[in-house]
Structures are given as structure tokens and as C-alpha cells.
Amino acid sequence: MKKIATAAAIILLLGSSLSVFVYFRYLQKPSVKFLLHMTGITKPRFVKKESITITWANRDISVIRYFNTRLSSNINYMMIHGVTPQGNNHPQMHLISQAITDVTGMNMLVPSITGLEGEKEMSEAIRDISLVYEGLHARIPGDYRAFGVCLAASGLMVALNSVPPEIYPKKVFLIGPFLEGKQLVDFYNSNKMEVDFFVKMAISMKSDHFSEKEKILISRAIRASEPGPTDTAAMKKILGQKLFNDMVIMDLHNKGLENIDGNMMFKSGKKIPDCKYFILHASNDRIIPQVQGRRFNEFLKLSGARTSFLGTELFEHTQNTVTVTGFIKEVKYLINFFDELFEGDVAK
């Protein structure tokens, strides 16, 4: 019933005066088809997925590649996952990658980046993102776009700062980025009960507050976490009552995260990259508050970068799909946003 109601609402939103011909033509827009895929109303049809390995800088890099079986494109979209134990196998990464590839023909490249779960320093994970981007660009020819989610969105921006300007992507799509790592950690410490517990665990992995035995338990709990809001009852069973309680009330500290700011995202005194930045940030984001995304957007604009920002109730990165009710409410703005994001990149 929800799918039927959503389809009916879309028809009404498109305007009752539209002819049947215009209406069905509208449904062929890549942005509309993408959003229908994300709601689950339709499913990607022309996508295959394969695991590949590329060697770069004496390292083997595991990558999931999505490609369109009907359309051929020379555009590669590198996606960096956020803080998640599933890494590049997270169901949301799979859904978004399939949806983009199906409607545009672009190839989605989703590398495995270790360290985004707290077991490495943030600075190490950022260096890996930079290395992987350069390796993909060298080994898989084509034009490049980049896509980062959650903490990795801002990590991606820092990583791209060190790549040669001639291979900097022409578009960067970010979901839920932050501008100031120190402000973000201060927010976590001031709003302890509002922060998803997974973030507490990921950031705590490098804390001197815990013993090696306790860190093993935290790592085990991280690996047991499922997509979506963290099941705190399940985490408590793994961690034990005392460790769980300590993690609820303790102040978080992570030097690598706290050091990130706008100055790390653009080279000082250098020309702003020839790139457009697209930022989507959910108002109900429990990992990075939307105000951080707005500040990020303002920073980019003040730096002279071209940006497009959409605050939304959708695409919260702990959720797997777009909600039906949210889609109905925001469809017009979402279509405009993705029209602009996909412009010029849709294979014929």
C-alpha cells in the first residue's frame, strides 16, 4: 500500500494538468528513476557487480565494481564508505551504487578502506583514501567523480587535497560531512545520549582510557554491529555492563578526527579545484548534526568553490533506504538536486 500511495503522490506532485505522455517522459528522468530505486518502488535492472583487485604502490587494493550491462560510460565514481563494520559491503552502499549505475551508466568503484572503524588512526585512513584514488585513476582509465559518506566524507576531502590537481574529480558528492573535527567531538561530549553508540565505540578504539582487553571487546562489538541505529542491548551483552556504562558517560577524544578542519581540505594559496561539490545532509542525522553540513557548505562557498546543498529528512547514513513519507514531502527538491548532480554524466 505504501508503494501505491507514493506513486499516486508523485503523480499529484507532478501536476494534474500534465498529459500521460509528459508524465511518463518525466518518469524517465535519471533523477526520478534513481529516487524510485532508493524508495524500493522500482529496482535496478541493468547492473552487474564484480570484485576486482588492483595493485598500486606495492599494495593490493580490493574494489567492488558496479557496471551497467546496457550503457557504456567512461566515467568512474569512487565511493568511500562511512563508519561501518560492513565496509564496502554495506547494504546502503550497494543500493546507492546500483541505483546510480542503473540510471546513469556510470561505473561505481567502491574500494575497501580499512581504518574507518577506529582500528587505525584517522590520518592513516585518509592517506589510504588518497592512495586508493590515485591507484584507481592510474589503473582504471576514465573521468572521475568522488563520493564520501559520514566521517569519510570529510576524510575524502582531506585526502583529495593531496592528489595531483590534474586528476582531481570534476564532481564530489558528500552525504553528512563535517567541517571542524574539534567541534564535532565537542558536540559528542556535550550530547552523550544523542549520539549513536557505534560512533562512541569507533572513536574510543584509540583511547588511552581503555585497556587492551577492553579494546578487544570494543572491536568485537564493532564487528557485530548491524546497519541502522545501533542495538545498544546487543552491544551491552558483548561489552559487559561496566564497560558499556563507562562508554556512555566518558568524554571522547580522537586526535586524528579533531585535527580535521577546512585548512586541511584545500591547499593554502592554491587555486580552488575545478570541481562542483554536492552536499546532502539529513536533519535527523545522529552521527553528524546537519549544522556541520551547512557550515561545510558555507566554507566551500567562501573559499570560492561551486556548491549545491540540500538539507533533507532523507538519506540519513545509518538508514538503508529513503523513507516513503519523506520522499513524498521532498520529491521536488530531491529531483532538482539529482538533476544537477547527474547533468552531463548520463550515458546515451
Side-chain angles (χ1 to χ4, degrees), residues 64 81-93 112 117 198 222-228:
I64 297 176
H81 62 80
V83 180
T84 166
Q86 292 80 23
N88 61 349
N89 283 300
H90 192 286
Q92 187 181 29
M93 303 299 99
S112 176
E117 297 77 38
F198 184 86
I222 286 173
R223 292 194 298 271
S225 300
E226 297 291 338

Side-chain angles (χ1 to χ4, degrees), residues 52-314:
I52 62 175
T53 300
I54 68 166
T55 301
W56 180 252
N58 296 318
R59 288 180 55 179
D60 289 337
I61 301 168
S62 174
V63 183
I64 297 176
R65 174 178 175 256
Y66 298 82
F67 61 96
N68 194 297
T69 59
R70 187 172 57 97
L71 301 171
S72 178
S73 174
N74 72 333
I75 299 177
N76 299 311
Y77 229 124
M78 183 186 80
M79 174 190 276
I80 302 298
H81 62 80
V83 180
T84 166
Q86 292 80 23
N88 61 349
N89 283 300
H90 192 286
Q92 187 181 29
M93 303 299 99
H94 177 68
L95 176 62
I96 295 177
S97 296
Q98 279 201 317
I100 291 177
T101 297
D102 188 62
V103 304
T104 69
M106 288 187 286
N107 309 296
M108 295 296 295
L109 303 174
V110 191
S112 176
I113 302 290
T114 59
L116 289 174
E117 297 77 38
E119 297 188 8
K120 272 188 179 181
E121 294 288 355
M122 188 73 172
S123 58
E124 293 180 77
I126 289 171
R127 283 196 297 271
D128 281 353
I129 294 171
S130 177
L131 179 145
V132 166
Y133 180 78
E134 291 189 37
L136 287 173
H137 199 281
R139 300 300 186 196
I140 304 177
D143 294 331
Y144 271 74
R145 314 287 183 257
F147 180 7
V149 181
C150 187
L151 296 175
S154 298
L156 171 65
M157 286 291 294
V158 176
L160 290 174
N161 191 20
S162 65
V163 306
E166 62 270 18
I167 68 170
Y168 198 99
K170 295 300 181 184
K171 294 179 184 178
V172 172
F173 179 27
L174 306 169
I175 293 181
F178 66 90
L179 178 61
E180 302 284 349
K182 179 66 168 58
Q183 288 182 1
L184 183 62
V185 173
D186 287 346
F187 169 81
Y188 292 155
N189 292 331
S190 300
N191 301 270
K192 291 180 169 56
M193 303 307 295
E194 299 176 24
V195 180
D196 190 277
F197 194 76
F198 184 86
V199 177
K200 295 175 183 284
M201 295 191 295
I203 293 178
S204 298
M205 277 297 296
K206 287 295 179 180
S207 173
D208 294 333
H209 182 83
F210 299 114
S211 67
E212 289 305 312
K213 183 178 179 180
E214 288 173 324
K215 289 180 180 179
I216 290 172
L217 290 175
I218 296 170
S219 179
R220 189 178 301 164
I222 286 173
R223 292 194 298 271
S225 300
E226 297 291 338
T230 304
D231 183 346
T232 53
M235 299 300 100
K236 190 183 299 184
K237 287 182 180 179
I238 298 171
L239 298 170
Q241 186 70 55
K242 182 182 181 303
L243 180 55
F244 178 84
N245 289 344
D246 286 347
M247 296 188 71
V248 169
I249 64 173
M250 72 171 288
D251 280 350
L252 299 174
H253 296 285
N254 185 294
K255 186 177 179 181
L257 181 59
E258 293 176 65
N259 284 341
I260 293 178
D261 60 19
N263 292 327
M264 295 183 70
M265 299 179 188
F266 289 141
K267 290 183 179 177
S268 178
K270 299 292 184 179
K271 183 180 177 182
I272 296 299
D274 180 20
C275 171
K276 183 153 187 181
Y277 302 89
F278 295 83
I279 304 160
L280 203 62
H281 209 133
S283 59
N284 58 344
D285 193 324
R286 295 185 64 221
I287 295 180
I288 300 174
Q290 192 185 83
V291 65
Q292 279 285 333
R294 293 187 181 278
R295 288 174 182 164
F296 186 93
N297 184 56
E298 287 304 311
F299 162 76
L300 290 177
K301 289 197 294 185
L302 288 172
S303 300
R306 294 174 290 132
T307 72
S308 178
F309 176 87
L310 179 62
T312 174
E313 294 182 7
L314 314 179

